Amino acid sequence: MLKSKVVIVGAGYVGSTLAYNLIQRALVEEIVLIDINQAKAEGEVMDLSHSLPFARPVEIRVGGYEECNDATVVVITAGVAQKPGETRLDLASRNLAIYQQIIPAIIAGGTKAILLIATNPLDVMTYAAIRLSGLPPERVIGSGTLLDSSRLRFLLSRHCGVDPANVHAYILGEHGDSEVPIWSATHIAGMHLDEYCAICGRGCGPRVWEELFAKVRDAAYEIIARKGATYYAIGLALVRILTAILRDEHSLLTVSVLLNGAYGLRDVALSVPAIVGRQGVERVIPFPLTQEEEEKLHRSAAIIREVIVTLGLA
Ligand code: NAD
């Protein structure tokens, strides 16, 4: 186990699921939960603590913002969640007001932590965290479309009858309705999707791929309509990013980062392939996109940017 401390701000569905995953993975030594609803954080810590006899040792407790001072990573899941039929962008101003309270409290003690953002609308909140914290942008990472990309990998794997580990698929742009599947970079077992489809022989093609993508794009709405929230897959997506940071893995992940010229985009946070390690975002990898993909990515950026400007953040 690595010597490290993760502070989770927001002990709701996503935050407490992440804490539970971290205990099972034995990835960190200390986990601290902070929530405006102190009783909720206390109840989660009590329940989580009782799982420790079945896990490897980890210190888990409720804390205050001073716990961020020596944290390795601060994960922010605090906020209002989507209600049925509500888009992620609808949440923007409500969650910005929450970030205006919590970001100054997180950085007050001069923390060296990486900030990992999970609150929706993800890209707007990532941008807000960068601006409100004044931290170097490489130290602020949004979970972005890592979850969406994993959903696409899962659906392609089921459809094609192969292990998700053999499927490489990337969704870029907004973690939301304008996200963009990058078919030009989608591979199964080293073959481009076109080539794999030809070998498979079931006659699938772009129409079927787009149907699968529509299920990815609408997944949160479908899940929220049935059970009110999504938390298991995002919980493990956050563990994936935390692992890349804590173990300095230099992993290529589709995460939301501040762009300053890459993909022809500036002063906006959205998901692109980025190398993530102990220092945060090490570099953005420019995939060679088709013209159509690039246009869709720019449209997605414009949608996020409009909200950022409307909120007075840029
Ligand atoms: P939730 O309502 O269960 O939990 C949110 C928690 O934040 C609550 O416990 C609440 O008390 C706390 N909170 C609110 N204001 C606070 C403040 N000022 N200070 C500290 N804590 C505060 O919601 P959830 O289902 O856990 O979702 C949390 C966020 O994560 C939402 O914005 C949701 O849309 C988002 N989300 C993102 C992804 C993703 O892929 N990035 C996936 C699922 C959910």
Side-chain angles (χ1 to χ4, degrees), residues 9-15 34-37 40 65 77-82 91 95 98 101-102 117-120 122 143-144 147 175 229-230 234:
V9 183
Y13 285 114
V14 176
I34 301 176
D35 199 290
I36 198 167
N37 182 347
K40 166 84 166 126
Y65 283 97
T77 73
V80 189
Q82 273 166 274
L91 298 178
N95 284 341
I98 291 175
Q101 292 173 355
I102 65 179
I117 309 300
T119 310
N120 278 320
L122 192 279
S143 64
L147 172 61
H175 169 60
T230 73
I234 180 61

Side-chain angles (χ1 to χ4, degrees), residues 232-302:
Y232 293 125
I234 180 61
L236 282 181
L238 291 169
V239 168
R240 179 71 194 88
I241 301 167
L242 282 168
T243 307
I245 296 168
L246 295 166
R247 296 196 195 282
D248 200 19
E249 284 183 344
H250 316 290
S251 305
L252 187 141
L253 303 171
T254 55
V255 284
S256 188
V257 303
L258 184 73
L259 290 187
N260 229 337
Y263 292 92
L265 295 168
R266 273 184 199 286
D267 203 24
V268 65
L270 48 64
S271 284
V272 288
I275 304 289
V276 177
R278 186 65 189 78
Q279 304 307 317
V281 181
E282 292 173 3
R283 58 185 295 209
V284 167
I285 302 298
F287 274 12
L289 304 182
T290 65
Q291 194 182 340
E292 187 187 356
E293 289 164 348
E294 192 175 319
E295 281 168 13
K296 286 182 177 170
L297 190 66
H298 278 239
R299 209 175 309 140
S300 186

